[in-house]
Amino acid sequence: MSAATALVLVSHSAQLAAGAVEVAQQMAPDVAIRAAGGTEDGRIGTSYDLVEQAVTALLDGGATAVAILTDLGSAALTAESVVDVLDDDRVVMVDAPFVEGAVAAAVAAQSGGDAAAVGAAARTAIDSFGDSATVGAGSAGDVAAAATDAVERSVVLRNRLGLHARPAATLARKAADFDAEVTLNGVDAASVLALMGLGLTGGAELHLRATGPQAAQALEAIVADVEAGFGEE
Amino acid sequence: MADVLDVAWATEWVRRSAAVVGEHRMELIDLDRAIGDGDHGENLDRGFKAVLVKLDNPDTPKPESVGDVLKLVATTLMSTVGGAAGPLYGTAYLRAAKVADGPTVDAAGIAALLDAAVGGIVARGKAEVGDKTMVDAWTPAAAAALEVADGGGTATQALRAAATAARTGAESTDPLVARKGRASYLGERAVGHRDPGAESSALLLAVAADVAEAAGAGAAGAAG
């Protein structure tokens, strides 16, 4: 089991929580993700017991850590109460935008990230609301400054639908799998949200740049995926 | 005047709390409709009704300390309220329960209990005085109780001072802009409305004092 960090998505609405689980699960098929939405009698609100049950079920199911994401105020307060009462180092709250954070957290968990890595990924999700170019600008700049042995490749995006959620997740996972820093059109290629933020459509030109011990292999693998249309069509 | 308050007081406080929340349910809903999501009265009413059910359940262990009663309130509110009031009040009662672990509390105990409750609310909600929240009622209440305790007053006097300060504190939220919770989305539009959580806090502390005074009005050493 590569994805041992599990997620609980807590929303005021059962439907919203379930929907967020669906979206996140699509990007991270091996991650255990549970919804804890609404009150026990199906109203809008948050249930301490539903959150607690979701967390303990995941821990009992073998999760090494559980990261909890919430939508609004009382969901966060309720989840924090659960974390306090359980008093278990494996259970952490992640303060991040609900949907974007859940997706980022799921992708990080899918890549084997521990609770800290999953939390950090979720928190960077807020950057997806800004100018996406600024998301990667810092990291791309750092990479350029740190490395002189960069490998570069350009490839045309074949998918008719462009770099939407599923291929973006595939690409981000691929980028994270190698010991390399990869950027795509200037943004961090390991960040699914940064990739989606580019809004690349079919036919767009992708400029890949990588540094690090496995830079060449990383680009090779990514280019192969892009040229195969990510298995879509 | 009772110098100390016991499990009977705590239990009766809970019963009166449920009653007063029920009586003011619509008023709290209206306050929350004005600046929040409108569920405060309903949520709190449901929570305290569930507390009564738990209290009257023959399977519930008989509370032996004031803290036992408060802990029962805490866990039930957390599980049943459904809005922010659940974890906020739940944490308040839970922290208060921890410092009231004996069969009675004196004035210093009341001050400590209220201080612990404030600590819980602040830890959970991260609000400060002036943010237009429950904290605006509880903080002056705890300070007033401490003043009475330090001056050698009784537990009942400490509670009455706390209730009076909480009432003033709740009213002090009327002109404020909210900086926490759903009301913070309203900006200036929250001005002129009382914070529902501060109002319910003032109601709960008022009945705590009422029950203590009623107990003291009976003969000293009355059954209980």
Side-chain angles (χ1 to χ4, degrees), chain A residues 12 39-41 43-49 71-82 84-85, chain B residues 37 39 42-43 46 78-85 87-88 91 94-95 123-126 181-182 185:
Chain A
H12 278 62
T39 61
E40 279 179 288
D41 49 0
R43 289 171 301 105
I44 294 287
T46 333
S47 155
Y48 179 94
D49 294 348
D71 62 359
L72 296 166
S74 69
L77 298 180
T78 300
E80 273 178 23
S81 305
V82 172
D84 264 7
V85 172
Chain B
D37 48 12
D39 61 3
E42 194 184 335
N43 284 343
R46 181 184 329 99
M78 270 195 197
S79 296
T80 54
V81 169
L88 289 167
T91 310
L94 198 60
R95 298 272 180 105
R124 182 62 58 233
K126 319 275 190 298
R182 216 65 77 90
Y185 297 139

Side-chain angles (χ1 to χ4, degrees), chain A residues 167-181:
Chain A
T170 305
L171 200 155
R173 280 207 296 273
K174 198 72 82 174
D177 276 347
F178 291 91
D179 185 7
E181 301 283 331

Side-chain angles (χ1 to χ4, degrees), chain B:
Chain B
M1 270 302 178
D3 280 330
V4 296
L5 296 165
D6 55 13
V7 174
W9 160 76
T11 307
E12 189 55 25
W13 175 27
V14 173
R15 291 190 187 285
R16 287 286 305 136
S17 295
V20 82
V21 167
E23 286 158 25
H24 291 267
R25 180 171 171 273
M26 266 328 290
E27 180 194 334
L28 294 172
I29 288 173
D30 288 342
L31 288 177
D32 200 27
R33 275 196 184 135
I35 60 169
D37 48 12
D39 61 3
H40 188 60
E42 194 184 335
N43 284 343
L44 215 51
D45 189 32
R46 181 184 329 99
F48 271 103
K49 280 197 167 78
V51 171
L52 286 193
V53 168
K54 187 99 190 206
L55 203 59
D56 294 330
N57 183 337
D59 295 338
T60 302
K62 198 169 155 41
E64 288 170 12
S65 67
V66 170
D68 286 348
V69 178
L70 300 179
K71 190 171 178 186
L72 182 145
V73 176
T75 53
T76 312
L77 289 182
M78 270 195 197
S79 296
T80 54
V81 169
L88 289 167
Y89 273 125
T91 310
Y93 281 91
L94 198 60
R95 298 272 180 105
K98 282 184 181 161
V99 299
D101 55 359
T104 59
V105 282
D106 56 8
I110 290 291
L113 178 158
L114 292 175
D115 185 54
V118 173
I121 296 166
V122 169
R124 182 62 58 233
K126 319 275 190 298
E128 300 168 6
V129 170
D131 283 352
K132 198 177 180 105
T133 70
M134 303 163 66
V135 173
D136 290 317
W138 285 88
T139 305
L146 185 61
E147 204 174 324
V148 170
D150 285 348
T154 65
T156 300
Q157 288 164 339
L159 269 181
R160 178 50 66 198
T164 305
R167 170 52 47 205
T168 308
E171 288 165 7
S172 79
T173 66
D174 294 7
L176 298 175
V177 170
R179 287 202 290 263
K180 291 284 172 197
R182 216 65 77 90
S184 64
Y185 297 139
L186 294 176
E188 291 289 335
R189 280 173 297 157
V191 170
H193 298 282
R194 181 157 314 163
D195 176 66
E199 178 62 24
S200 60
S201 301
L203 291 172
L204 294 173
L205 288 168
V207 295
D210 292 348
V211 171
E213 283 166 5

